[in-house]
Amino acid sequence: MSIFTPTNQIRLTNVAVVRMKKGGKRFEIACYKNKVMSWRSGAEKDLDEVLQTSSVFNNVSKGQVAKKDDLSKAFGTDDLTEICKEILAKGELQVSDKERQSQLETSFRDIATIVAEKCVNLETKRPYTVNLIERAMKDIHYSVKANKSTKQQALEVIRQLKDSIEIQRAHMRLRLVLPAKEGKRLKEKLKPLLKVVESEDFDDQLEMVCLVDPGCFREIDELIRCETKGKGSLEVLSLKDVEEGDERLE
């Protein structure tokens, strides 16, 4: 979308409009796409990186700049920086139907990925694939909520899926046996994938018992098979339930 502002002939491209109604009037600011969410999450701190222009509009697409008097009445100030910050914080980001649909699909996939990473199939004691979780979410007609984070929604999905599939939030307790030769080097590679190392024994070979997120299981399995050329082994000992009261997803 390209927009001309007749007042100063600045050509605005790649625009994301944030709209707010206040004092019976409509106010809009022109931002760079993707930057609005970065500002709201705290990732972006520089206002100039977010705003295409510091002007406040009644209608960005028509280039209608808001009158100073209207701004003062509605916001109690004519400081454009402060007004832009308020609109950024409280306004509504305008997106096309196509963009909205794309965002919802991405969020749906992200939620399914988090669920697959944190849960196991109670029957097989193995992780679910993301595709299986997506299918299960569609079966229960789960709708993405734009005002909630994907982590919050993943917790909600886990609770709802328990009625339809064998699913449980859990850590997998694994026994890893690695040849002495590769043990030390491989341990360093595995470290980022392990939640807790419960025991470690280094004699003729390295033997570790550890807790991992289900989502890391396949990567650990592949790493051990490839790096030890089949000499290492991986065994699932048990599942350790994650307490229901733990409402955070790390």
Side-chain angles (χ1 to χ4, degrees):
M1 178 165 63
S2 291
I3 295 166
F4 284 93
T5 54
T7 49
N8 51 13
Q9 288 298 298
I10 293 175
R11 185 173 188 183
L12 303 176
T13 56
N14 191 25
V15 179
V17 175
V18 181
R19 180 182 297 161
M20 184 179 181
K21 285 186 178 165
K22 194 161 183 174
K25 302 264 184 192
R26 179 172 97 173
F27 300 102
E28 296 182 345
I29 52 175
C31 306
Y32 291 102
K33 284 190 179 179
N34 307 324
K35 286 292 186 178
V36 176
M37 300 317 288
S38 299
W39 174 269
R40 287 177 172 175
S41 69
E44 179 58 71
K45 301 274 196 297
D46 186 351
L47 197 62
D48 291 336
E49 291 292 318
V50 182
L51 300 175
Q52 293 225 10
T53 167
S54 58
S55 298
V56 178
F57 300 83
N58 292 126
N59 188 315
V60 169
S61 60
K62 291 180 182 172
Q64 295 171 352
V65 178
K67 294 189 178 79
K68 207 172 177 180
D69 285 354
D70 290 344
L71 291 171
S72 295
K73 275 182 201 165
F75 294 93
T77 178
D78 58 6
D79 183 331
L80 291 177
T81 301
E82 289 310 308
I83 293 169
C84 286
K85 281 182 180 176
E86 185 172 338
I87 296 173
L88 257 180
K90 300 176 184 173
E92 192 180 316
L93 179 61
Q94 306 300 301
V95 291
S96 68
D97 289 343
K98 193 177 174 186
E99 281 177 309
R100 188 176 285 111
Q101 188 55 36
S102 171
Q103 285 170 4
L104 290 174
E105 284 169 9
T106 301
S107 295
F108 193 88
R109 180 82 178 173
D110 289 347
I111 293 164
T113 302
I114 294 169
V115 174
E117 284 172 353
K118 302 291 180 186
C119 296
V120 288
N121 179 331
L122 280 173
E123 285 180 0
T124 64
K125 308 285 190 281
R126 291 290 188 274
Y128 278 102
T129 63
V130 176
N131 286 345
L132 261 169
I133 296 294
E134 280 191 291
R135 236 181 331 215
M137 285 167 67
K138 283 171 186 165
D139 288 345
I140 62 167
H141 307 294
Y142 186 78
S143 301
V144 174
K145 295 162 189 67
N147 59 341
K148 278 190 169 185
S149 75
T150 49
K151 286 186 177 180
Q152 284 176 311
Q153 292 183 77
L155 284 169
E156 209 173 288
V157 166
I158 294 165
R159 279 192 289 268
Q160 290 184 29
L161 285 180
K162 282 181 180 178
D163 294 332
S164 57
I165 61 174
E166 294 286 333
I167 191 168
Q168 177 70 46
R169 258 191 87 186
H171 291 139
M172 299 176 81
R173 183 174 278 111
L174 308 177
R175 179 187 285 123
L176 282 56
V177 180
L178 311 169
K181 199 176 171 187
E182 286 92 3
K184 211 167 186 179
R185 178 179 56 82
L186 201 46
K187 183 185 161 188
E188 289 307 307
K189 283 193 176 182
L190 288 165
K191 211 183 264 182
L193 303 170
L194 310 178
K195 272 269 179 202
V196 179
V197 176
E198 293 186 328
S199 69
E200 192 176 324
D201 188 24
F202 209 135
D203 204 359
D204 296 338
Q205 53 193 11
L206 174 61
E207 187 176 313
M208 295 165 72
V209 174
C210 49
L211 294 175
V212 304
D213 272 334
C216 296
F217 176 76
R218 287 184 181 88
E219 196 177 338
I220 292 169
D221 186 33
E222 203 171 299
L223 203 57
I224 291 174
R225 272 189 296 109
C226 295
E227 296 277 340
T228 67
K229 296 183 172 57
K231 290 175 187 167
S233 68
L234 173 63
E235 181 189 351
V236 180
L237 298 177
S238 61
L239 298 178
K240 180 177 181 287
D241 287 354
V242 176
E243 295 301 317
E244 283 297 325
D246 178 13
E247 287 303 286
R248 292 175 299 113
L249 282 172
E250 298 299 339

